[in-house]
Amino acid sequence: RQINRILRGPTGLTARNMLRRGRKVQRHARRNVHSRSGKLARSIEVRLAMQAGAPGVEVYTDVHYALWVHNGTGVHGPLGRPFGPRRAKYMVFRGSDGTIVRTKSVRGQTANPFLRDALRSAL
């Protein structure tokens, strides 16, 4: 019973080791993500997750745009094509220099797989 508690319990050595490794992945992910405000980096969290009776960890974020940053959009994303307005003739948004931009399509954002890269670099 003692060995089972150490190996499979939520407070055992295995769980603590998994949390330590998860925090290492979290640090690498926060360092690798690039965002203007830092909200995405601050939102990356770690939690213990019991799976099939054994401890594991989840490194996650609840920011709604994280998947788009991670996988890319437009020609850089899974669809591989530019995107445009759905209902209007032009897309209108504020450019990085503050000017108003009107365009029929945009190429999208390149992928920044910060979580996958963090997992690889933390091993």
Side-chain angles (χ1 to χ4, degrees):
R1 245 179 13 194
Q2 285 284 51
I3 292 174
N4 200 23
R5 192 179 81 223
I6 290 170
L7 293 177
R8 297 186 175 273
T11 58
L13 294 174
T14 305
R16 287 189 294 199
N17 185 17
M18 293 299 288
L19 277 173
R20 182 181 56 80
R21 291 170 185 262
R23 286 189 200 106
K24 187 175 180 182
V25 172
Q26 177 190 35
R27 281 193 307 274
H28 283 266
R30 284 182 172 178
R31 201 174 310 134
N32 292 338
V33 70
H34 306 291
S35 66
R36 291 182 198 154
S37 67
K39 179 180 177 180
L40 181 55
R42 287 190 307 272
S43 73
I44 299 171
E45 297 292 332
V46 176
R47 69 176 162 216
L48 186 64
M50 299 300 284
Q51 298 173 352
V57 292
E58 294 176 348
V59 180
Y60 68 97
T61 178
D62 60 356
V63 173
H64 73 279
Y65 56 85
L67 187 62
W68 297 325
V69 172
H70 194 272
N71 295 339
T73 61
V75 296
H76 309 288
L79 296 179
R81 58 184 161 82
F83 58 93
R86 291 186 179 176
R87 294 180 193 90
K89 192 171 182 178
Y90 296 100
M91 294 175 70
V92 180
F93 54 91
R94 190 170 302 279
S96 59
D97 60 353
T99 60
I100 300 296
V101 178
R102 289 177 181 82
T103 184
K104 290 192 177 209
S105 69
V106 292
R107 293 180 48 83
Q109 173 179 313
T110 57
N112 177 11
F114 57 93
L115 283 174
R116 186 188 67 209
D117 294 346
L119 183 60
R120 287 181 180 160
S121 65
L123 294 179

